[in-house]
């Protein structure tokens, strides 16, 4: 992994944490909570966020320069997910992690 800069490794770590957080919260928090937590738009966005984060980490790990595109998209999806989780409420961990990932991905996309 010597070809990965410390900044990129940090972004990979943020993406993987966000993947874990969004998928875990969707499965283990939103589904049991029901109601607004499982409204289709919100729930799909959480799943999309998890997948986009996983994909961005994957692109960086394989060392393709196209990671800039996935990171840009990831930052946008993470911000949207953070806003949605904020509106639903009781999802502070997801909001924090999505915003941290978005910030890291914006730097990688630059």
């Amino acid at each position: 992994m010597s070809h990965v800069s410390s900044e990129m490794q940090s972004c990979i770590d943020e993406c993987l944490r966000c993947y874990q957080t969004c998928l875990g919260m969707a499965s283990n928090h939103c589904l049991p909570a029901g109601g607004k937590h499982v409204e289709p738009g919100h729930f799909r966005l959480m799943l999309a966020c998890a997948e986009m984060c996983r994909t961005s980490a994957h692109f960086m790990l394989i060392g393709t320069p196209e990671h800039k595109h996935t990171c840009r998209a990831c930052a946008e999806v993470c911000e949207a997910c953070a806003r949605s989780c904020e509106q639903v409420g009781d999802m502070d961990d997801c909001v924090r992690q999505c915003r941290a990932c978005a910030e890291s991905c914006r730097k990688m996309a630059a």
Side-chain angles (χ1 to χ4, degrees), residues 68-110:
K68 290 181 181 281
H69 302 296
T70 59
C71 285
R72 187 172 300 110
C74 190
E76 292 173 14
V77 173
C78 284
E79 282 296 340
C81 190
R83 285 191 301 273
S84 182
C85 289
E86 223 167 27
Q87 288 173 347
V88 167
D90 191 31
M91 299 191 69
D92 294 341
D93 290 344
C94 202
V95 171
R96 261 191 308 279
Q97 188 55 55
C98 284
R99 292 229 163 98
C101 187
E103 178 64 25
S104 188
C105 279
R106 273 192 291 275
K107 290 177 186 171
M108 288 309 301

Side-chain angles (χ1 to χ4, degrees), residues 19-104:
Y19 166 70
Q20 182 177 7
T21 301
C22 285
L23 194 59
M25 294 247 351
S27 300
N28 302 309
H29 176 75
C30 291
L31 281 175
K36 60 187 175 181
H37 285 85
V38 291
E39 286 179 357
H42 171 70
F43 199 77
R44 284 187 190 114
L45 184 55
M46 288 191 72
L47 296 179
C49 187
E51 186 59 23
M52 193 70 238
C53 290
R54 188 196 64 79
T55 299
S56 288
H58 184 94
F59 270 56
M60 288 182 278
L61 284 166
I62 63 174
T64 179
E66 286 79 13
H67 77 270
K68 290 181 181 281
H69 302 296
T70 59
C71 285
R72 187 172 300 110
C74 190
E76 292 173 14
V77 173
C78 284
E79 282 296 340
C81 190
R83 285 191 301 273
S84 182
C85 289
E86 223 167 27
Q87 288 173 347
V88 167
D90 191 31
M91 299 191 69
D92 294 341
D93 290 344
C94 202
V95 171
R96 261 191 308 279
Q97 188 55 55
C98 284
R99 292 229 163 98
C101 187
E103 178 64 25
S104 188

